[in-house]
């Protein structure tokens, strides 16, 4: 695989088909090996290796701009564009990102991390190129799951009437993270499985090949006839009716055929959609058989396909198990997912009350509001990073309307190696200003189950329950005294030092308290479980201490720490108030431990806030 070290688009263009097919195999080996060690998105990247090769054969990156919707399938693109030698650093601190980043390479046309935005961005780039007199192309690769997102439809509606050199490559593998759902998915399956045109085409090709000497020329001349036949057979094609030139469907693992289609699209001075069919997980049997499991994962054993980390005790699974238990007894409880049923732990919900709406967070929230308005108890489970896509719907259709929708916010807080686009650091600042909203942020598994039941049965308006990625903390028997919406841990603070926090950061504060105890001092820990509205009693407790450290695994600006300080001020607090939170920045990829240390949210840093003060006095 040494030739992958310095691979470039120029070298790709000089290779023959046999060399390219061998190269595709080598790239898959490198991707599998690297992801097995670093974690990452596997199945999606294995499915687009030949597609990436064909794109770089036909187009001239970086003059021609290539965008990857979501961006999680850009590994082959990175290897082709000179980053093969650094590929072992994928998703590591200061290493290659798992997503496109222009600061990393001129071949990455735009930062990506969320779904369905690529056509809009590509349309903007293509328009700018036309206005500047450039004849270069703009290409975006969008999956069949992502193209069903509302933003993609908005972009198609706009760009199809324009004259830009915009090429949309529809990567159809019948999957998003879970299997693609909805009417558009069924429509694409119909195109994918249509056989009339392809049987005729193959028969014509075989006949022409049998004609001696001139067969090849006749076959070439007949391409226009075959194209007209295709247009006739696909006359009801949705994309054509929208105004796009439609080419395909084509085998997305046939480098030669795709290259032909891309070169043809380059000749057209108008938006083109090229439909290619790929197999998610191609070339690795475990990923092909379970593309959802191998979509995004941690370290795994290549030989057995087994992941090293067991997710059975994760917060996601715990939430889903508890919700399924509630739903079995209460027929009004239902669950809504935006293409992430398994990932958010909802797989055990009663099927008739489990609604996967596809990659459409806005629709998921408003759909949930409609369910609530009609007497159901909907639980809408979304990752924190994707929740922000539905902010207007949460504001208008849930909070303003006062509907009893439960938002289960998964992956809240720092997520580590996925980096800036996936950190769950903004949901608190987004939700706390909204009237009528109640927010829970439990620490351990028992608190999560308790908060979920309260969210379903103890409230009549909007409620959010946020929880982190990873294994759920188990409750200690003698660990705390509990109040309404908070837990208090005596750890030798003696009315002098108190750490206030919520959610997963509670565990690190408890460890910091142990460190302080070992140094001959100590600090009590106050964990806020209901972070909106903050229980008044928590401020009463904190106001009695001389030093208060608020530790928040979230943004300082707009965070709970600001509101808590205001509550202390109202009580005449005169002590020392310190904050450990994320400043005005995006948090880059690194391991959890590295990120926490960098942000000053690890136990040693938290303990140091007090120990420095102790040394001074």
């Amino acid at each position: 695989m040494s030739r992958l070290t310095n691979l470039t688009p120029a070298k790709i263009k000089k290779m023959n088909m046999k060399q390219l097919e061998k190269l595709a195999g080598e790239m898959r080996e490198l991707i599998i090996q690297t992801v097995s060690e670093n974690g990452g998105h596997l199945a999606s990247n294995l499915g687009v290796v030949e597609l990436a090769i064909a794109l770089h054969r036909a187009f001239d990156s970086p003059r021609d701009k290539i965008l990857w919707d979501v961006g999680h399938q850009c590994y082959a693109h990175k290897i082709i564009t000179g980053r093969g030698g650094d590929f072992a650093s994928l998703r590591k601190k200061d290493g290659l990102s798992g997503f496109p980043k222009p600061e990393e390479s001129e071949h990455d046309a735009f930062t990506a991390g969320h779904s369905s935005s690529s056509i809009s961005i590509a349309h903007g780039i293509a328009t700018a190129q036309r206005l500047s007199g450039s004849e270069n192309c703009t290409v975006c690769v969008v999956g069949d799951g992502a193209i069903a997102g509302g933003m993609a439809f908005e972009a198609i509606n706009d760009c199809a009437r324009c004259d830009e050199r915009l090429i949309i490559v529809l990567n159809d593998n019948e999957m998003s993270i879970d299997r693609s759902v909805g009417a558009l998915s069924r429509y694409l399956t119909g195109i994918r499985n249509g056989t009339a045109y392809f049987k005729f085409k193959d028969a014509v090709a075989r006949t022409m090949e049998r004609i001696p000497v001139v067969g090849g020329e006749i076959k070439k001349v007949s391409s226009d006839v075959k194209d007209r036949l295709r247009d006739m057979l696909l006359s009801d094609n949705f994309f054509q009716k929208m105004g796009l030139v439609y080419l395909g469907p084509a085998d997305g693992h046939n480098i030669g055929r795709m290259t032909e289609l891309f070169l043809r699209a380059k000749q057209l001075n108008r938006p083109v959609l090229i439909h290619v069919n790929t197999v998610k997980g191609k070339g690795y049997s475990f990923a092909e058989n379970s593309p959802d499991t191998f979509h995004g994962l941690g370290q795994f054993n290549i030989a057995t396909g087994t992941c090293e980390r067991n997710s059975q005790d994760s917060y996601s699974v715990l939430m889903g198990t508890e919700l399924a238990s509630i739903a079995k007894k209460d027929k009004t409880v239902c669950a809504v997912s935006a293409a992430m049923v398994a990932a958010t732990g909802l797989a055990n919900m009663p099927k008739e009350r489990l609604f996967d709406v596809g990659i459409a967070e806005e629709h998921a929230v408003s759909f949930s509001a409609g369910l609530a308005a009609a007497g159901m108890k909907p639980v809408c489970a979304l990752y924190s990073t994707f929740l922000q896509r539905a902010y207007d719907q949460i504001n208008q259709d849930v909070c303003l309307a006062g509907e009893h929708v439960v938002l289960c916010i998964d992956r809240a807080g720092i997520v580590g190696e996925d980096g800036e686009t996936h950190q769950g650091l903004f949901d608190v600042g987004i939700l706390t200003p909204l009237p009528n909203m109640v927010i829970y942020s439990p620490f351990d598994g028992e608190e999560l189950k308790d908060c979920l039941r309260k969210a379903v049965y103890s409230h009549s308006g909007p409620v959010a329950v946020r929880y982190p990625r990873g294994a759920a903390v188990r409750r200690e028997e003698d660990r705390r005294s509990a109040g309404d919406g908070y837990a208090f841990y005596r750890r030798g603070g003696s009315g002098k030092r108190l750490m206030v926090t919520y959610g997963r950061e509670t565990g690190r504060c408890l460890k910091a308290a142990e460190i302080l105890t070992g140094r001959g001092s100590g600090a009590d820990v106050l964990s806020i479980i209901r972070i909106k509205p903050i229980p008044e009693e928590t401020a009463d407790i904190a106001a009695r201490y001389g030093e208060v450290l608020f530790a928040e695994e979230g943004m300082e600006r707009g965070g709970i720490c600001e509101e808590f300080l205001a509550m202390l001020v109202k009580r005449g607090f005169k002590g020392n108030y310190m904050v450990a939170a994320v400043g005005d920045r995006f948090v880059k990829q690194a391991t959890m431990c590295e990120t926490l240390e960098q942000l000053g949210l690890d136990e040693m840093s938290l303990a140091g806030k007090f120990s420095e003060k102790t040394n001074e006095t």
Side-chain angles (χ1 to χ4, degrees):
M1 283 188 255
S2 59
R3 64 174 171 170
L4 300 182
T5 301
N6 297 308
L7 194 61
T8 64
K11 292 179 180 179
I12 289 283
K13 289 177 171 63
K14 295 177 182 178
M15 294 182 184
N16 60 39
M17 202 55 59
K18 187 175 181 179
Q19 291 172 323
L20 291 171
E21 290 171 355
K22 182 180 179 182
L23 180 71
E26 293 173 354
M27 291 170 66
R28 282 195 170 90
E29 289 179 18
L30 179 59
I31 291 170
I32 293 169
Q33 182 63 47
T34 303
V35 176
S36 73
E37 297 171 359
N38 298 6
H41 292 90
L42 184 64
S44 53
N45 282 288
L46 295 180
V48 299
V49 172
E50 289 86 0
L51 174 55
I53 291 172
L55 283 170
H56 282 286
R57 286 190 78 213
F59 297 100
D60 298 312
S61 177
R63 289 185 297 276
D64 292 327
K65 306 301 180 183
I66 301 175
L67 292 84
W68 300 85
D69 200 281
V70 185
H72 63 292
Q73 75 286 53
C74 67
Y75 294 2
H77 162 79
K78 293 202 172 198
I79 295 170
I80 292 170
T81 53
R83 286 169 276 181
D86 296 324
F87 201 68
S89 70
L90 183 74
R91 303 177 79 246
K92 292 183 177 180
K93 185 174 183 289
D94 300 323
L96 293 181
S97 171
F99 298 88
K101 292 184 71 172
E103 63 201 72
E104 185 180 291
S105 170
E106 63 180 350
H107 295 281
D108 291 356
F110 203 87
T111 299
H114 285 186
S115 162
S116 308
S117 63
S118 65
I119 303 176
S120 295
I121 296 165
H123 180 26
I125 293 174
T127 300
Q129 288 184 322
R130 175 177 59 80
L131 292 173
S132 67
S134 170
E135 295 184 356
N136 294 119
C137 295
T138 305
V139 186
C140 61
V141 181
V142 55
D144 56 305
I147 204 170
M151 189 174 178
F153 274 93
E154 293 171 16
I156 289 173
N157 181 60
D158 186 39
C159 76
R161 62 188 174 89
C162 301
D163 295 325
E164 276 76 43
R165 302 191 73 191
L166 171 62
I167 299 167
I168 303 166
V169 180
L170 172 55
N171 174 33
D172 182 3
N173 58 24
E174 300 182 286
M175 296 289 295
S176 49
I177 294 178
D178 291 325
R179 188 160 292 279
S180 296
V181 297
L184 184 60
S185 175
R186 290 196 300 272
Y187 174 75
L188 293 176
T189 299
I191 297 179
R192 185 183 184 113
N193 295 336
T195 59
Y197 164 69
F198 300 103
K199 286 183 177 178
F200 178 84
K201 176 183 174 182
D202 291 343
V204 170
R206 286 193 298 270
T207 300
M208 294 299 178
E209 292 287 2
R210 293 191 188 102
I211 299 175
V213 184
V214 295
E217 288 298 318
I218 295 176
K219 178 180 175 183
K220 182 178 179 181
V221 172
S222 70
S223 63
D224 287 341
V225 177
K226 291 188 287 182
D227 290 341
R228 290 180 181 276
L229 178 61
R230 180 203 60 219
D231 292 341
M232 180 183 71
L233 293 173
L234 299 177
S235 60
D236 289 330
N237 183 283
F238 165 78
F239 301 108
Q240 284 183 315
K241 285 189 175 294
M242 287 292 288
L244 299 171
V245 175
Y246 175 88
L247 302 177
D251 180 358
H253 301 293
N254 186 323
I255 298 171
R257 174 57 177 152
M258 284 190 293
T259 302
E260 290 175 6
L261 286 176
F262 295 154
L263 290 173
R264 181 180 172 193
K266 285 180 70 172
Q267 299 172 355
L268 304 174
N269 293 315
R270 55 178 297 190
V272 180
L273 185 137
I274 301 175
H275 186 178
V276 301
N277 298 327
T278 61
V279 176
K280 192 171 184 179
K282 178 76 172 177
Y284 182 55
S285 60
F286 296 109
E288 287 190 36
N289 295 331
S290 301
D292 52 347
T293 302
F294 284 85
H295 174 81
L297 71 168
Q299 295 178 332
F300 68 95
N301 184 299
I302 297 175
T304 63
T306 55
C307 298
E308 294 186 5
R309 296 178 182 176
N310 189 343
S311 63
Q312 294 305 306
D313 60 350
S314 71
Y315 285 95
S316 304
V317 171
L318 186 62
M319 186 285 295
T321 301
E322 185 69 10
L323 182 62
S325 176
I326 294 171
K328 288 178 182 177
K329 299 174 184 177
D330 187 342
K331 302 300 182 184
T332 67
V333 173
C334 52
V336 179
S337 169
M340 305 185 86
V341 169
T344 54
L346 299 176
N348 293 324
M349 278 291 294
K351 300 304 180 186
E352 71 279 4
R353 282 178 282 134
L354 172 60
F355 304 101
D356 183 356
V357 302
I359 303 178
E361 291 83 4
E362 303 96 320
H363 168 58
V365 170
S366 293
F367 173 64
S368 298
L371 287 169
M376 299 297 287
K377 299 187 186 76
V379 176
C380 182
L382 303 172
Y383 281 15
S384 173
T385 185
F386 303 136
L387 178 83
Q388 58 211 31
R389 295 164 66 92
Y391 187 54
D392 184 62
Q393 288 71 26
I394 296 170
N395 178 16
Q396 295 287 313
D397 300 337
V398 177
C399 291
L400 179 62
E403 298 297 346
H404 184 202
V405 172
V406 178
L407 297 172
C408 280
I409 307 174
D410 203 327
R411 269 66 165 179
I414 296 165
V415 297
E417 293 88 344
D418 281 336
E420 298 99 318
T421 59
H422 281 57
Q423 305 287 6
L425 298 172
F426 302 105
D427 59 90
V428 170
I430 285 172
L431 295 180
T432 49
L434 297 178
N436 299 325
M437 177 63 74
V438 175
I439 310 172
Y440 290 96
S441 190
F443 164 47
D444 62 34
E446 291 302 313
E447 285 181 1
L448 173 58
K449 292 191 288 185
D450 181 55
C451 290
L452 181 61
R453 288 188 173 274
K454 284 181 178 178
V456 173
Y457 291 116
S458 299
H459 299 276
S460 58
V463 191
V465 182
R466 61 188 306 277
Y467 44 91
R469 180 182 190 175
V473 175
R474 297 192 179 191
R475 176 175 296 183
E476 301 173 16
E477 293 299 326
D478 60 347
R479 64 181 187 80
R480 65 175 194 170
S481 58
D484 180 19
Y486 70 92
F488 182 66
Y489 305 77
R490 291 195 180 277
R491 294 293 189 271
S494 304
K496 296 179 181 179
R497 301 180 184 85
L498 176 70
M499 283 183 274
V500 185
T501 189
Y502 61 89
R504 175 170 55 183
E505 192 66 17
T506 300
R508 291 187 279 271
C509 285
L510 289 171
K511 291 180 180 178
E514 293 177 5
I515 293 171
L516 290 170
T517 300
R519 294 174 179 174
S521 56
D524 296 331
V525 178
L526 179 60
S527 177
I528 305 173
I529 302 170
R530 191 187 68 231
I531 60 175
K532 189 198 175 186
I534 300 173
E536 293 290 335
E537 190 176 350
T538 60
D540 294 335
I541 294 171
R544 302 176 194 139
Y545 285 78
E547 293 182 84
V548 175
L549 169 65
F550 199 107
E552 183 163 10
E553 192 182 324
M555 305 303 292
E556 179 177 351
R557 184 168 296 178
I560 302 302
C561 59
E562 292 183 344
E563 184 175 355
F564 197 79
L565 175 59
M567 294 174 71
L568 287 180
V569 170
K570 288 180 181 179
R571 286 161 173 77
F573 178 71
K574 301 296 184 182
N576 185 26
Y577 187 79
M578 301 170 287
V579 173
V582 181
D584 190 18
R585 57 180 291 190
F586 287 102
V587 178
K588 296 185 177 182
Q589 68 191 47
T591 65
M592 278 293 296
C593 290
E594 290 169 337
T595 302
L596 291 168
E597 289 176 8
Q598 188 176 53
L599 297 173
L601 290 170
D602 62 300
E603 51 265 33
M604 291 299 295
S605 297
L606 296 176
K609 294 280 188 178
F610 287 112
S611 61
E612 292 169 8
K613 182 71 176 178
T614 302
N615 291 337
E616 290 173 7
T617 58

